[in-house]
Amino acid sequence: MKKFKLSNGITHIPLELPWQSPGFVNVYLIEDSDGYIMIDCGVNGKKYFSLLKNYLQEEKIDLSQIKLLIGTHMHSDHIGLSSSLREEGIPFALYKNSIDFLNEYNDWTLRFKDFITYSEKEGAPKSFLLDLNSISTPSYAGKVATPDMLLDEGKIKNVKRNLSVIFTPGHDQSEISIHDLKSKVIFSGDHILPRITPFIPTVDSESNLLNDFIISLEKIENIDHKTIAPGHGKIIEEPHKRIEQMILHHQRRSEKIVALLENEKLTGWEITNLLFPRKLDALNLRLAFQETLAHLKYLEKKNILKHNISKYNSWEVVKKT
Ligand SMILES: [Zn+2]
């Protein structure tokens, strides 16, 4: 992947990831009067740290000039390397609610604990539950300790350039986008991506992250901006069009789910298999299931579907009188 040419003192670094798709994460450096603000940093590991250092050298930026590292959200491809950078004296910032999710970030058995119980209720087979039970924290996640700075919405303090935090949960519960007022660029992390719609998870029976995600998209839509610099893939030159496409994608999927339930009652697991009939590997099956459940929760809260707990935990359409 090639570097983007960005103006207004913004540097782009495409940093390799240990997997194929997406194969790179976008790291950005924003120039300030007394150094640089870095957005996201890639996965943990010596190899990735060397790659990052090589790129910085090419750009003639020294690690000591980076005065703040901001993580857009708590996924390993965006903050895995943060502890190595903190060891170099670079302070690390995340959104303020991140402290609620640090233990789950560092220990993936905690991360999937509630989801295992929830999956069972939604009709997932034993093999799937065993698979969830066997997940452990990968080394590329690194270890993340309490951030040095907890961000709130609005202008970032201790930074001279006018950078503003927008809380955009959905893909992750602590996801933020950063708005640079000088260039009118929004750094969107994985909230808005150019080609794929980001995965929307279900973490437990309470969360309604698809609803959060749609609200977050509308939030960005209402901010005066020119381009979106995403966490993966190319710069988005027509952000409004992309936002509309993403909303439409989820609308269509919701409609498909309601159509499936018009004539029969189905469990979350059965719906997933009808929506994704192709054979999926363990990871993609989990993502498909989590996302289907996110839709079911969303439709339940909108009073379009209801969950019939007494009848095999199946879902059905709410009949309007
Ligand atoms: Zn990502």
Side-chain angles (χ1 to χ4, degrees):
M1 188 180 175
K2 285 201 184 113
K3 286 180 209 166
F4 312 141
K5 292 235 177 321
L6 290 161
S7 52
N8 292 293
I10 302 167
T11 303
H12 165 239
I13 291 176
L15 197 62
E16 224 181 284
L17 291 172
W19 44 77
Q20 286 298 314
S21 97
F24 292 86
V25 64
N26 294 326
V27 172
Y28 298 98
L29 288 132
I30 309 170
E31 197 178 22
D32 204 1
S33 54
D34 55 351
Y36 292 88
I37 296 114
M38 185 171 169
I39 297 182
D40 288 339
C41 59
V43 296
N44 178 51
K46 275 191 186 139
K47 176 188 165 184
Y48 303 98
F49 197 22
S50 307
L51 279 171
L52 176 65
K53 284 194 272 197
N54 289 345
Y55 270 116
L56 289 170
Q57 217 163 31
E58 266 177 47
E59 298 294 337
K60 298 187 172 54
I61 297 172
D62 194 77
L63 277 179
S64 63
Q65 291 173 281
I66 301 171
K67 54 178 196 173
L68 183 65
L69 165 65
I70 300 172
T72 55
H73 62 292
M74 298 173 81
H75 287 174
S76 61
D77 49 337
H78 298 263
I79 62 166
L81 199 57
S82 62
S83 57
S84 299
L85 290 160
R86 291 172 87 176
E87 277 168 25
E88 300 287 331
I90 301 170
F92 177 50
L94 284 173
Y95 189 63
K96 61 182 179 184
N97 72 353
S98 60
I99 41 171
D100 298 338
F101 310 113
L102 278 176
N103 289 339
E104 289 166 32
Y105 179 89
N106 290 318
D107 181 353
W108 285 27
T109 56
L110 287 177
R111 185 165 173 170
F112 290 109
K113 212 177 118 227
D114 292 340
F115 183 60
I116 291 172
T117 322
Y118 190 40
S119 299
E120 205 174 355
K121 282 198 190 123
E122 291 289 346
K126 244 204 167 88
S127 57
F128 181 81
L129 303 176
L130 283 171
D131 216 63
L132 282 180
N133 248 315
S134 69
I135 298 175
S136 58
T137 318
S139 70
Y140 50 74
K143 277 271 174 274
V144 174
T146 309
D148 305 291
M149 189 175 166
L150 291 173
L151 299 169
D152 210 336
E153 283 204 287
K155 190 185 178 306
I156 303 176
K157 293 176 191 126
N158 313 330
V159 166
K160 291 188 184 67
R161 190 158 168 153
N162 204 337
L163 295 176
S164 188
V165 172
I166 312 154
F167 181 44
T168 49
H171 170 66
D172 181 46
Q173 295 172 91
S174 64
E175 180 132 32
I176 50 170
S177 300
I178 307 289
H179 184 203
D180 174 38
L181 277 84
K182 186 177 175 184
S183 61
K184 289 194 176 180
V185 169
I186 290 180
F187 300 91
S188 64
D190 286 359
H191 174 52
I192 297 171
L193 294 171
R195 283 180 50 226
I196 44 162
T197 26
F199 158 66
I200 307 299
T202 298
V203 283
D204 54 37
S205 57
E206 292 310 307
S207 63
N208 185 4
L209 284 166
L210 182 56
N211 194 50
D212 295 345
F213 179 66
I214 307 272
I215 292 169
S216 299
L217 284 178
E218 285 161 358
K219 212 169 177 180
I220 296 291
E221 179 94 307
N222 290 326
I223 289 171
D224 177 30
H225 64 282
K226 267 202 288 215
T227 42
I228 286 181
H232 306 277
K234 290 185 183 152
I235 292 288
I236 302 168
E237 302 286 359
E238 290 180 291
H240 298 290
K241 207 168 136 191
R242 184 66 196 131
I243 291 169
E244 276 164 32
Q245 284 171 350
M246 289 167 84
I247 292 176
L248 203 66
H249 164 89
H250 285 293
Q251 244 172 33
R252 293 242 165 90
R253 181 159 292 164
S254 279
E255 283 164 12
K256 230 171 157 180
I257 292 174
V258 175
L260 284 174
L261 291 166
E262 276 314 336
N263 300 313
E264 57 180 332
K265 298 180 173 102
L266 299 161
T267 64
W269 182 260
E270 288 167 333
I271 297 165
T272 306
N273 284 290
L274 289 169
L275 280 178
F276 303 90
R278 272 193 336 176
K279 185 148 177 54
L280 301 172
D281 61 25
L283 171 67
N284 282 300
L285 182 61
R286 171 164 64 75
L287 300 184
F289 187 42
Q290 278 185 287
E291 186 148 324
T292 303
L293 296 179
H295 273 270
L296 291 169
K297 180 57 70 183
Y298 175 76
L299 292 165
E300 184 187 24
K301 293 269 159 131
K302 286 221 177 304
N303 203 28
I304 294 169
L305 295 183
K306 63 178 180 190
H307 202 191
N308 198 333
I309 295 169
S310 60
K311 277 192 182 158
Y312 323 108
N313 287 311
S314 57
W315 289 87
E316 58 185 75
V317 176
V318 174
K319 295 278 175 252
K320 302 266 158 39
T321 45

